[in-house]
Amino acid sequence: MVHPVLSEMIARFRPSGNMAQDVQQFLKLHHCPRTAEHSVRVAVVAAQLASRFGGVDPLDAADAGYLHDISAVVPIPERIRVARELALDVLPEEEAFPLIVHQKISETMASVLFGVSSRSVLSAIGCHTTLKASASRLDMIVFVADKIEWDQAGTPPYITRLTQALDISLEHGAFSYLEYMWEQRDRLKVVHPWLKEAYFELKRKIQDADADVNRDQDRDR
């Protein structure tokens, strides 16, 4: 049975079975056309990144991209209440800055309202804003795609360093954004603990990988 807080959202929604169309229909039905456009762009870039780096089905990447911001239909002032009604774990940082709990709400909506059963797709939706420790390739792909196709006006201030980092690896691309956020952590309203954990974990992995490359190069000289 669909939770009452979610059942209200689908009262006039008639899914077609086509994820791209259904997400756009749902968001526009709830007066979120800009989010619908953003979600399409993220889905396209996520599928491209999946093809570029391998190891992930581009269709899964696209589905996660389409659905990552589906919770935009929940007004920001209501998100903590909705998250709690859905029995989601609300962290103190999310309570202080309710915008960022939307990734968790989107994950639940994707599962309950759109029938997504893939744990990897749901995981990518659920951490697309902050990333998290032990992130999968799909997690990083949707995270990076969301940052490339950000939903604000103008050019992202970090885009050059992100795209250059992607020329090295997907991990370097994801880390470049985490590093950008970490550098300005004192100016942020909150630092989400998932972002902090992902930052230090990826930093260590990249440093270890770079050290291995340097050792191999030294041996070959």
Side-chain angles (χ1 to χ4, degrees):
M1 182 177 178
V2 178
H3 192 285
V5 76
L6 298 179
S7 62
E8 299 173 5
M9 300 178 185
I10 56 173
R12 294 177 292 135
F13 177 54
R14 299 293 179 266
S16 67
N18 181 294
M19 185 66 75
Q21 293 179 8
D22 289 347
V23 169
Q24 291 180 76
Q25 176 196 349
F26 182 83
L27 288 169
K28 290 175 181 177
L29 180 66
H30 289 276
H31 312 292
C32 299
R34 290 182 59 186
T35 302
E37 294 171 1
H38 166 69
S39 296
V40 170
R41 295 196 304 271
V42 171
V44 169
V45 173
Q48 292 171 344
L49 291 172
S51 296
R52 175 179 176 182
F53 292 105
V56 171
D57 186 338
L59 293 178
D60 285 345
D63 282 350
Y66 285 126
L67 288 162
H68 78 287
D69 271 352
I70 201 68
S71 61
V73 303
V74 181
I76 293 174
E78 297 179 21
R79 288 180 183 173
I80 298 301
R81 175 186 62 80
V82 168
R84 288 206 170 104
E85 287 189 21
L86 294 173
L88 301 177
D89 181 30
V90 177
L91 300 174
E93 292 82 1
E94 293 163 343
E95 189 164 11
F97 189 50
L99 173 69
I100 53 179
V101 79
H102 81 281
Q103 59 184 4
K104 295 178 179 178
I105 300 174
S106 285
E107 179 180 356
T108 296
M109 291 176 64
S111 173
V112 176
L113 301 185
F114 288 83
V116 175
S117 59
S118 167
R119 293 175 65 89
S120 60
V121 172
L122 292 173
S123 173
I125 294 168
C127 69
H128 75 267
T129 300
T130 61
L131 205 58
K132 61 184 177 183
S134 302
S136 69
R137 292 184 71 77
L138 182 54
D139 291 339
M140 288 188 280
I141 282 170
V142 177
F143 175 73
V144 169
D146 182 51
K147 305 311 177 274
I148 291 174
E149 290 294 340
W150 78 335
D151 56 359
Q152 301 179 46
T155 302
Y158 50 80
I159 195 64
T160 298
R161 65 194 285 184
L162 191 156
T163 53
Q164 290 176 344
L166 283 174
D167 288 337
I168 304 173
S169 72
L170 175 61
E171 289 77 10
H172 280 79
F175 178 73
S176 72
Y177 180 79
L178 293 171
E179 185 177 48
Y180 166 79
M181 294 297 288
W182 188 253
E183 288 169 354
Q184 56 179 326
R185 62 191 180 278
D186 292 338
R187 298 192 296 274
L188 300 176
K189 185 173 179 63
V190 299
V191 176
H192 197 285
W194 290 8
L195 185 146
K196 180 179 179 180
E197 291 164 5
Y199 167 76
F200 282 108
E201 181 184 70
L202 267 181
K203 182 178 182 179
R204 184 180 66 254
K205 287 182 177 179
I206 287 172
Q207 288 175 337
D208 289 347
D210 289 346
D212 289 341
V213 169
N214 291 335
R215 280 194 295 270
D216 290 342
Q217 290 175 342
D218 288 341
R219 276 200 302 269
D220 293 339
R221 289 191 181 120

